[in-house]
Amino acid sequence: MKRKPVICLGCAFWDTIFKIERIPGHGAKVLPEKAVQVASGMATAAAVTIARLGGHVELWARVGDDPTGESFLRDLSHEAVRIDRIRRVEGARTAFSTILVDREGERLVVPYTDPSLDPDPSWLPLQAVADAAAVLVDMRWPEGARALLAEARRCGVPTVLDADVSPPEALREMMTLADHVLFSEPALLSLSDRGTPGEALRDVAAGIEANVVGVTLGAAGALIWQRGGSGGDIATVPSIPVRAVDTLNAGDVWHGTYVYGLVNDWNLEPRVRMANMAAAMKCEHFGGRLGSPTLDQLLERSRASP
């Protein structure tokens, strides 16, 4: 039986990542220990994660018709991600980032998206959505995300929103279109005046119709609320302890693992636990999304963890 694909839609960035001792607080020349250049972005890194876990996945995104766009496509061609749904926008520059990662794994990210990168979603092959296992969108291309989420809902295909920091009005709109709304901590706190992530999560979940609402908390794991759960309780799902070398793309690996578990019928709490573990494992490796694990690596780590 032919496997149904996961569709990931959103930003496509060309990242230049430098490993340095510390991020300077003022003007300086810093010599890196290591450097890599890699196709990245939230939806891109999530798609690679799904592919490395063994999932069938395609990326719907935009790049420019420039040498950077060519580098992006060539690099991503080494992963088992379908890339022929990526549009090359004539006359546009591919989005790119420069990232500094310090010895503690924390990072400074300087991204740039050219305004000429046409946001029009009319080219999207929405006729393919009915045959998808699920769709995942990020907040970096709202026009495309809106179109894909609406079509997926019409077709009864599960929808997942990577709800990272964005204008609050854009977040509130996208939240109404997704079945699984999964926040970064800063994005969640931007929508509520509650003092803690747990209180903010309960506050936001009460105002939308999503089946699952959650927030990732880095080394502290994640909080998850499920509609119809016992008394509307919020589950705290811990992560595993690791020595962080590079936290870049950890959240994207988390989302990709969550979606892989969703389409493979993992129950919610084990799905979140495995997403926490995959994100933590990624943090043990320098190079952003290059550290995302395979399914065998993830299962082996799961068996070794208490």
Side-chain angles (χ1 to χ4, degrees):
M1 180 183 296
K2 184 179 179 181
R3 292 182 301 162
K4 292 186 173 183
V6 173
I7 299 169
C8 293
L9 178 146
C11 66
F13 269 76
W14 183 247
D15 283 357
T16 299
I17 312 169
F18 296 107
K19 181 174 178 58
I20 61 174
E21 178 69 12
R22 64 177 61 86
I23 296 171
H26 53 79
K29 179 181 286 187
V30 181
L31 299 179
E33 303 169 29
K34 296 180 182 179
V36 298
Q37 291 186 302
V38 62
S40 191
M42 297 160 64
T44 302
V48 170
T49 299
I50 294 167
R52 290 192 175 183
L53 292 172
H56 183 32
V57 61
E58 51 192 66
L59 179 64
W60 294 13
R62 304 158 297 150
V63 297
D65 63 347
D66 55 352
T68 303
E70 188 63 40
S71 295
F72 178 96
L73 294 170
R74 184 170 54 252
D75 185 61
L76 203 56
S77 71
H78 300 305
E79 305 284 353
V81 177
R82 180 174 177 178
I83 60 175
D84 63 335
R85 310 287 202 183
I86 299 173
R87 179 188 174 200
R88 299 201 70 177
V89 181
E90 184 177 354
R93 297 171 67 189
T94 302
F96 60 94
S97 296
T98 298
I99 300 150
L100 305 179
V101 179
D102 70 13
R103 63 182 176 186
E104 305 299 327
E106 292 302 322
R107 74 271 191 200
L108 174 66
V109 182
V110 184
Y112 179 73
T113 301
D114 195 312
S116 66
L117 203 59
D118 183 9
D120 175 29
S122 62
W123 62 272
L124 290 173
L126 296 178
Q127 70 279 2
V129 173
D131 293 325
V135 302
L136 166 69
V137 304
D138 65 34
M139 292 295 302
R140 298 298 174 258
W141 181 23
E143 297 85 356
R146 189 182 301 116
L148 180 55
L149 291 174
E151 181 63 14
R153 177 160 288 183
R154 191 185 72 80
C155 296
V157 173
T159 53
V160 181
L161 174 65
D162 181 348
D164 198 9
V165 174
S166 299
E169 61 275 11
L171 276 170
R172 292 187 187 281
E173 178 192 5
M174 293 302 166
M175 286 159 41
T176 66
L177 299 175
D179 305 317
H180 302 252
V181 179
L182 305 169
F183 290 96
S184 66
E185 185 177 1
L188 175 64
L189 295 178
S190 75
L191 298 178
S192 173
D193 57 5
R194 303 286 185 173
T196 68
E199 292 170 334
L201 186 63
R202 195 181 303 278
D203 184 36
V204 170
I208 58 178
E209 297 180 1
N211 296 327
V212 175
V213 185
V215 58
T216 57
L217 302 173
L223 303 178
I224 294 290
W225 174 93
Q226 184 175 24
R227 186 169 301 283
S230 23
D233 287 344
I234 294 174
T236 301
V237 184
S239 188
I240 58 171
V242 296
R243 181 184 175 276
V245 171
D246 176 4
T247 59
L248 181 67
N249 294 132
D252 311 323
V253 171
W254 192 99
H255 284 84
T257 306
Y258 181 96
V259 174
Y260 178 84
L262 173 67
V263 301
N264 283 280
D265 299 320
W266 295 356
N267 290 334
L268 179 60
E269 194 157 334
R271 187 191 316 157
V272 175
R273 185 171 64 250
M274 294 297 263
N276 289 346
M277 188 172 296
M281 291 172 68
K282 186 248 87 64
C283 292
E284 295 177 315
H285 302 275
F286 171 72
R289 62 96 175 154
L290 295 176
S292 60
T294 65
L295 183 60
D296 285 347
Q297 290 168 338
L298 181 59
L299 293 177
E300 181 180 359
R301 189 64 165 269
S302 177
R303 288 190 290 267
S305 297

